[in-house]
Amino acid sequence: MTASTENKKEQSPSMESVTWGDLTWLNIEQPAQKEIEYLAQHYSFNSFDLDDCLSRRQQSKLDVYKNYLFFIFQFSVWDSATRVSRSDRVSVFIGDKYLITLHDGQLKPLVNLFLECLTNEEIRKENMSSGSGYLLYRMLDGVIDYYFPILNSVLAWVDEVEDAVFDENIDVGQEVATLRRDINTQRRILHSVRAASLELEKQINRFSKIDLSVQFGDFMDHVHKACDTLDEYKEIVEVFKDTDFVLSTDRLNRIMRIMTIIATVSLPFIVVSSIFGMNVHMPGSITTGSLVPFIVIMVTMILVTAAMLFYFRRRRWI
């Protein structure tokens, strides 16, 4: 069997194809209306599916038709510098003799797999000789394997936050909130992929020359493992959130207790001095007075303060 490779750059610089036997893989990066019109002219795809290829609000899904499948799957792109994940997606049309992928070129496993099929005959034969269903499986399997290093990065972040939560010198509330948001974003993406992939598992053998039950079952095991890992991370972060709230409340209560004691202890000085301040002449005032009122006032304040401290101590407030 011979292989042929064709670059369809006359239509768009982002549209390339590679062929092995009767199977063609058409890869479109950063699709625009021009590419959608090309697909509408050359393939009998549902117009709503073509519109979905340009929509930014689509979740992972699978549409089943008599002659083809339309599959959208989201994936997470991780920025290691900002530690923020964003969602991107790939639209796939799969038929007996073609596989069409539309994406932004950010998914490295997909980009690398197409490049290898384009330039290496052995890899092209290995991935394309068993049909479009097997080629789609290889693409999805590479994507999920690519995702596990992202999970490892999130785990390292979780460990850092765990250490910071119990450090009174670090304000970790913002970090916990950011981590929680990122994990929820990834959970939303991956859970939608799992739901769509479960439907795809029932349909993919239509377009494969070999039985993909075992291979696709292994892929689904990886998807389930990734979802379970994110669910576990979510529970851990929820514990961090509650722990940070409890510890912050405890620190605030201790501060308020000390401030309350200081204010309470100062209260006798304020009250007694207010009562006698304008009615008793003492040394140092404009009108010279006796030391006796001054001594009486000071002794009174000290005795009241001592009595309050003794009472607080008996009640174990201090």
Side-chain angles (χ1 to χ4, degrees), residues 30-39 50-51 54:
Q30 299 181 353
Q33 189 61 40
K34 182 178 181 179
E35 286 76 21
I36 300 303
E37 292 174 357
Y38 172 84
L39 294 179
L50 293 173
D51 292 339
L54 298 180

Side-chain angles (χ1 to χ4, degrees), residues 121-132:
E121 183 177 354
E122 290 297 324
I123 295 179
R124 183 164 59 245
K125 177 181 178 181
E126 176 186 353
N127 289 283
M128 301 182 66
S129 60
S130 297
S132 57

